[in-house]
Amino acid sequence: MAQIINGKEVSASVRKAVAEETAQLRDSRGLKVGLAVVIVGNNPASRVYVNNKKKACEEVGFQSFEYALDENTTEEQLLDLVNVLNRDVRVNGILVQLPLPKHINETAIINAISPEKDVDAFHPVNVGKIMIGDYSFLPCTPAGVMELIASTGTEISGKTCVVIGRSNIVGKPMAMLLLHKSGTVTICHSKTQNLKEICQRADILVVAVGRANFVTGDMIKPGAVVIDVGMNRLENGKLCGDVEFESAEKVASYITPVPGGVGPMTISMLMRNTLTAAKQQAGI
């Protein structure tokens, strides 16, 4: 039976370290750390995320600036706000909650955020830096996954790593981070043939496809580390991941649960990125 990777515990240790450093910098340098979160419209899931980010800011000692805009806000109005926040010295990190209403071009908004304040690491400049391995910020979910793998004591170097999913937010950067740690990486997606055989070779398997119980125990190599990034709601209202937990748990050496695995890490890594941004902007 696999050992459960407790995302809540790992996340709490990250936040504790961020809170301690934030307090120390405030006392020794007078540095205040500020995160601005922009939400457009009233998507209930987005509202939950924004509230959680606010709570996390309080927990680690950051100033939190929330901008809740009407769903009829124009792209031009949102761009104007981003430009104001780019210039605001109190704001070290800017996060525009996605998805945005259909009439707003998400790419235009992401590209308008100053790369130095892009704590989601979605700006093309930061994406390029991740590609060459010279980065300040990492996308929060892949960075959280790396922390979870590290918490197991697993050495990535030389291991066969399989990432299922090729999104810009998780799949692609995830593959790059594993590659930077000298993993041998295969990226699988909807057009991949022989998916089961490829998965069965993986020492480290990261699944981020958004399909409930997509990966089953018979697809997993005995002793593999399995990281489930998925968050799906079944018809009965229960949450589940992209990995069928009961069968996978019997085969893997380590596995993340859903909920309580990758989820808690994402906001904690956002806090770490915001602190990094504040230090860089202050020349620390």
Side-chain angles (χ1 to χ4, degrees):
M1 290 288 275
Q3 282 186 253
I4 307 299
I5 305 172
N6 189 327
K8 289 178 183 171
E9 279 180 12
V10 181
S11 165
S13 69
V14 171
R15 290 192 198 195
K16 183 170 180 280
V18 170
E20 286 171 357
E21 192 174 355
T22 301
Q24 189 250 320
L25 287 168
R26 186 176 57 239
D27 296 342
S28 64
R29 304 267 193 136
L31 181 72
K32 289 180 180 173
V33 182
L35 174 67
V37 180
V38 181
I39 178 170
V40 185
N42 48 15
N43 179 315
S46 292
R47 174 39 66 192
V48 169
Y49 284 129
V50 168
N51 289 347
N52 287 342
K53 284 163 189 168
K54 236 162 124 175
K55 273 188 212 149
C57 283
E58 283 172 28
E59 193 182 322
V60 299
F62 292 177
Q63 296 182 90
S64 174
F65 307 101
E66 185 188 307
Y67 297 85
L69 308 181
D70 184 84
E71 61 188 22
N72 297 318
T73 298
T74 66
E75 187 175 313
E76 191 178 353
Q77 287 168 325
L78 183 53
L79 285 168
D80 286 345
L81 173 60
V82 168
N83 287 327
V84 167
L85 297 175
N86 280 338
R87 295 192 299 271
D88 189 337
V89 292
R90 300 172 306 157
V91 173
N92 304 112
I94 301 168
L95 187 146
V96 178
Q97 185 65 47
L98 304 178
L100 290 168
K102 287 193 168 51
H103 65 277
I104 297 177
N105 181 334
E106 286 185 358
T107 303
I109 303 305
I110 289 167
N111 290 356
I113 296 171
S114 163
E116 290 76 31
K117 295 188 177 187
D118 166 42
V119 286
D120 257 336
F122 292 166
H123 191 286
V125 166
N126 288 327
V127 173
K129 285 182 169 184
I130 291 161
M131 187 77 182
I132 61 173
D134 176 27
Y135 45 78
S136 307
F137 314 124
L138 292 171
C140 301
T141 301
V145 169
M146 296 300 282
E147 288 286 330
L148 292 174
I149 295 170
S151 77
T152 69
T154 300
E155 177 67 49
I156 296 171
S157 178
K159 293 287 183 4
T160 299
C161 307
V162 172
V163 178
I164 309 181
R166 55 175 165 181
S167 71
N168 291 334
I169 293 173
V170 181
K172 290 177 190 170
M174 189 72 250
M176 291 312 304
L177 297 191
L178 291 164
L179 192 58
H180 290 321
K181 291 286 184 185
S182 300
T184 301
V185 185
T186 301
I187 304 173
C188 298
H189 45 78
S190 59
K191 301 289 190 288
T192 298
Q193 297 180 3
N194 306 320
L195 178 66
K196 184 174 179 178
E197 288 86 342
I198 294 169
C199 289
Q200 286 170 334
R201 295 199 294 269
D203 301 307
I204 298 168
L205 178 63
V206 182
V207 191
V209 286
R211 290 174 63 181
N213 299 324
F214 179 71
V215 169
T216 49
D218 61 341
M219 298 168 71
I220 295 167
K221 177 181 180 178
V225 175
V226 178
I227 308 287
D228 188 350
V229 183
M231 178 72 82
N232 311 289
R233 199 172 285 281
L234 298 171
E235 285 177 11
N236 63 8
K238 277 185 74 174
L239 288 173
C240 77
D242 292 347
V243 176
E244 204 281 301
F245 186 84
E246 283 184 20
S247 62
E249 185 189 18
K250 293 181 175 75
V251 188
S253 61
Y254 290 92
I255 190 168
T256 55
V258 176
V262 175
M265 296 300 300
T266 301
I267 293 178
S268 296
M269 303 318 288
L270 173 69
M271 298 299 110
R272 183 190 280 177
N273 280 352
T274 305
L275 176 59
T276 300
K279 285 159 63 180
Q280 285 183 343
Q281 289 157 33
I284 296 171

